[in-house]
Amino acid sequence: IYLDNKDQLGSMVPTVDFKKAVKTYQALSAAMSQGLVTSCHDISEGGLAVALAEMAFAGGLGLTILLDRVPVEKKFPDYKILFSESNSRLLIEVDPAQEAQLIKMLKGVSFSKIGTVETGPEMIVYGIKKDVVINAEINQLKEIWKEPLLRL
């Protein structure tokens, strides 16, 4: 589940709506206190794509993501949704058996279910036009992620 404070995704200088951010963090904290959140990752360095990959690495599981479900205020190209870095956006994983209870706790918070965890090793991301924009094995992505940017 993707939590967002409508913080002008893709803007040059990200802004944060502090009242909405506090409400989001309070709801998330309460949900975590009740054990409803399996994992959580901020969407900062590298944006949504990196947060998704890092969560997949940690669990050793794949995922399927639908970018057309990411709540944005206007149409953005896939790459902006995937790599925009901004504050107060979060990605959370929830057990499907606890999803309904979590959704009740998030009432009044901007969120969207953008995908599912998969038992296979692939990270598959469907773009705004429902075409596959990422289809890679998480182990391959992890090896690339661990490498330095430049080899001298």
Side-chain angles (χ1 to χ4, degrees):
I1 293 180
Y2 174 93
L3 299 174
D4 186 19
N5 288 310
K6 303 286 187 195
D7 60 352
Q8 300 177 1
L9 178 70
S11 66
M12 292 299 290
V13 180
T15 60
V16 175
D17 182 324
F18 291 103
K19 287 182 182 180
K20 287 181 181 179
V22 168
K23 189 172 187 175
T24 297
Y25 292 131
Q26 287 173 336
L28 180 58
S29 178
M32 287 177 162
S33 295
Q34 291 189 20
L36 300 177
V37 177
T38 304
S39 64
C40 179
H41 198 303
D42 66 312
I43 301 174
S44 56
E45 294 179 8
L48 177 61
V50 173
L52 289 165
E54 289 176 345
M55 286 180 78
F57 302 158
L61 297 170
L63 47 86
T64 300
I65 300 297
L66 307 171
L67 291 184
D68 65 340
R69 292 191 183 173
V70 175
V72 293
E73 292 181 350
K74 62 180 184 176
K75 296 289 182 191
F76 285 106
D78 296 331
Y79 73 89
K80 275 199 175 185
I81 296 170
L82 284 167
F83 297 105
S84 177
E85 298 177 356
S86 56
N87 302 308
S88 74
R89 293 188 300 145
L90 300 160
L91 187 61
I92 60 175
E93 177 187 357
V94 60
D95 184 313
Q98 297 182 327
E99 185 177 334
Q101 188 176 353
L102 175 73
I103 288 171
K104 285 180 187 176
M105 293 199 71
L106 296 178
K107 186 176 181 173
V109 172
S110 177
F111 73 91
S112 179
K113 180 178 179 180
I114 64 167
T116 56
V117 174
E118 307 291 348
T119 56
E122 294 86 24
M123 177 172 161
I124 302 172
V125 178
Y126 293 89
I128 295 296
K129 296 179 182 174
K130 302 187 184 332
D131 54 329
V132 175
V133 295
I134 298 174
N135 184 357
E137 288 195 22
I138 60 169
N139 291 333
Q140 181 183 22
L141 292 174
K142 188 173 184 177
E143 288 306 312
I144 294 167
W145 175 77
K146 290 178 357 182
E147 289 291 320
L149 292 177
L150 296 173
R151 290 185 185 190
L152 300 175

